[in-house]
Amino acid sequence: MVVFEVLRTLHRGARAATSRAARPITVAVLLALAVLVAASEVVPAAAVEPVSTAGPDSADGPDAAVVALVAGDGAPVVPILFPLQKRVSWEDTWGAARSGGRSHEGNDILVPKMTPLLAVVDGTLDWLNLTGKLSSYNDLPYYNILLRGDDGNDYFYIHLNNDTPGSDDGLGGVANAYAPGLTNGTHVSKGQVIGYSGDSGNAEDTASHLHFEIHLGGYKHPIDPYNSLKAAPTYDEWIAGGGVPGGASTTTTTAPRSTTTTLPPSTTTTTTAPEDPGPGGQIDPEAPPFSDVHVTDWFYADLTTVYAEGVVNGSGGVFRPYGAVTRAQFAAFLVRAFAPEALEAEAPQSPVFADVPPSFWGYREIAAAATAGLVRGVGDGTRFSPNAAITRAQMAAMLCRALGEDAATAPALTTTEPRTRPFLDVPGEYWASVDIVVARDLGLISGGSDGRFRPEETTNRAQAVTVIARGLRLIAAGGGN
């Protein structure tokens, strides 16, 4: 306990004896003394205590730095939220040598480009590069965020994304770096999405990552953020522990596997989150947590719909929106969306299709889809070609069956009617012409501006979730059979 008593005494004396201008130096001295004293005293993790939060201006200048804890190893711990929605592993690179004789003043957390970054505390945004100013390192736009915390500390997010999603072109612009609606001076809430990870600035030749810094009492008073990050709860943990987006929490949240306890909230009054949390938006528990999907992507709303319904789940935290969709994958999407009850039945012992054995990952889904009449085989019907990329025509036909609107239920649509050829490249005798017409009439599909549908071209995952989301909305509105 000696370290805490020393810090309390020194801090009280410093506040009484120093001017506001001199407090940055005082803070540095306090922290140095804290480390020296702690080095001579073994402090168990459970003994972590707040140094001091008293004082009318404790969040208005450098001495707000003491709104921190001292861990057993003497390193300061600031109560923050983890800056990513999901916890990841990283190394403590604080103090590592950098070019030009510099030392590393933060921690690098490797994550894919476009991973959403969260505000770790309530605060005001600064240093957003809204004009696309170029980096002196490579003449490419660089994007950072300085979050000036309401707690008196500054939090620096560096190397935000500057690329068009799926590329490394440096042409992504502000929209792919910062969350929508944000500008310098915007006040954000803890847990709010404020930007997206990347490799801008002097990180163009490295892997995408978030360089995260904590500055006690304001910039430039950096501390090693490692212990603070390790102690920080994720957004889900914070919410589960009573955290209120846009408001105050009445529950102290401790992250799993942490050896340090976070500070209790400064208020005991729970406030209701505002209906509109403001620009950037809070993390929606049902929002798709894919690092390669941006909230401004054209398919985002549709992906959110099907993700909430349990239709898609991605792999390894990515969705690969422009990757091809196989017949097996689309069959799985269909049955999860339109015939989930079929998945509750026991999978058949004998394969429905010769090329889909019980050991195949999508055996249950394909068998259920076939039983529900959503899919059929290829050729003579004994095979399914599960790993073949699905064509646009096949997608339209399967979707119509799922909605009970396939050619078999639309006898009035004959090949002699003009509307059975809505696209220049879909003649009336084409095997899926009626399905394509029905899907077009239901608003599920559309062609190109050149009047063509391109029925034999394959589809991608973004297009697949879009048509399924349209089908789900159609059913919700009373359409479909």
Side-chain angles (χ1 to χ4, degrees):
M1 296 298 293
V2 175
V3 60
F4 304 114
E5 296 305 321
V6 170
L7 279 169
R8 286 192 182 102
T9 302
L10 287 172
H11 177 57
R12 291 185 187 120
R15 286 180 58 84
T18 63
S19 66
R20 188 178 305 276
R23 286 177 184 171
I25 299 174
T26 305
V27 169
V29 173
L30 285 172
L31 291 174
L33 286 170
V35 173
L36 289 174
V37 176
S40 63
E41 177 184 13
V42 177
V43 182
V48 175
E49 295 185 8
V51 178
S52 173
T53 58
D57 61 350
S58 61
D60 186 24
D63 71 339
V66 281
V67 185
L69 305 174
V70 177
D73 60 2
V77 176
V78 180
I80 59 173
L81 188 72
F82 197 69
L84 308 172
Q85 189 180 8
K86 302 295 182 183
R87 195 180 306 282
V88 299
S89 299
W90 78 99
E91 299 294 328
D92 185 1
T93 52
W94 166 264
R98 291 294 186 264
S99 61
R102 298 175 298 118
S103 62
H104 204 225
E105 295 186 344
N107 275 191
D108 290 338
I109 306 176
L110 271 63
V111 287
K113 289 181 182 179
M114 300 303 297
T115 298
L117 307 177
L118 311 184
V120 295
V121 295
D122 294 349
T124 301
L125 301 183
D126 203 354
W127 297 3
L128 275 66
N129 179 10
L130 302 176
T131 61
K133 183 179 178 181
L134 303 183
S135 169
S136 60
Y137 289 94
N138 47 38
D139 291 328
L140 291 173
Y142 67 94
Y143 300 102
N144 305 323
I145 294 176
L146 186 71
L147 173 59
R148 298 193 183 278
D150 290 351
D151 59 1
N153 304 316
D154 286 351
Y155 304 89
F156 203 9
Y157 301 67
I158 307 179
H159 306 315
L160 273 64
N161 181 64
N162 67 346
D163 299 311
T164 302
S167 76
D168 192 32
D169 59 6
L171 302 176
V174 173
N176 289 302
Y178 305 123
L182 300 181
T183 188
N184 288 307
T186 299
H187 189 273
V188 296
S189 299
K190 180 179 179 179
Q192 188 169 331
V193 178
I194 57 176
Y196 307 96
S197 61
D199 61 3
S200 68
N202 62 357
E204 286 287 351
D205 296 326
T206 66
S208 169
H209 65 279
L210 166 65
H211 172 104
F212 181 77
E213 299 179 3
I214 297 178
H215 295 258
L216 282 182
Y219 194 83
K220 192 61 160 139
H221 303 288
I223 64 167
D224 185 349
Y226 186 74
N227 283 342
S228 300
L229 289 168
K230 292 292 286 185
T234 64
Y235 182 87
D236 289 342
E237 291 165 351
W238 176 57
I239 293 297
V244 181
S249 170
T250 58
T251 305
T252 301
T253 303
T254 302
R257 301 180 301 281
S258 170
T259 58
T260 309
T261 305
T262 61
L263 276 175
S266 58
T267 177
T268 57
T269 302
T270 302
T271 59
T272 302
E275 292 183 5
D276 180 3
Q282 297 288 344
I283 288 287
D284 182 346
E286 293 186 340
F290 303 127
S291 61
D292 55 351
V293 174
H294 191 282
V295 292
T296 58
D297 285 330
W298 63 269
F299 57 86
Y300 184 81
D302 295 322
L303 177 57
T304 299
T305 296
V306 298
Y307 177 78
E309 294 292 331
V311 176
V312 299
N313 50 36
S315 176
V318 296
F319 179 64
R320 298 183 300 278
Y322 298 106
V325 180
T326 65
R327 287 172 53 83
Q329 290 169 336
F330 195 73
F333 293 167
L334 279 181
V335 74
R336 292 171 192 162
F338 302 109
E341 67 284 351
L343 288 171
E344 298 175 3
E346 187 173 339
Q349 297 296 317
S350 300
V352 177
F353 300 106
D355 55 351
V356 183
S359 59
F360 185 72
W361 71 264
Y363 177 76
R364 174 180 291 274
E365 287 85 351
I366 292 173
T371 301
L374 309 186
V375 301
R376 300 169 186 165
V378 296
D380 62 1
T382 61
R383 304 180 66 82
F384 187 71
S385 297
N387 292 319
I390 193 169
T391 66
R392 289 167 57 82
Q394 291 170 343
M395 180 177 68
M398 289 185 187
L399 190 62
C400 284
R401 292 183 204 127
L403 294 171
E405 299 280 1
D406 64 321
T409 66
L413 296 177
T414 67
T415 57
T416 60
E417 295 184 16
R419 77 183 191 122
T420 61
R421 189 177 180 181
F423 303 109
L424 298 176
D425 54 351
V426 181
E429 62 273 13
Y430 184 71
W431 72 269
S433 61
V434 177
D435 292 313
I436 292 172
V437 170
V438 172
R440 191 281 310 265
D441 289 350
L442 292 174
L444 303 177
I445 62 170
S446 61
S449 58
D450 60 357
R452 299 179 183 277
F453 181 67
R454 296 175 175 80
E456 296 302 314
E457 286 190 4
T458 57
T459 192
N460 60 46
R461 291 169 63 85
Q463 293 167 336
V465 298
T466 295
V467 297
I468 288 176
R470 290 171 182 169
L472 289 171
R473 285 193 289 271
L474 180 68
I475 292 176
N481 291 321

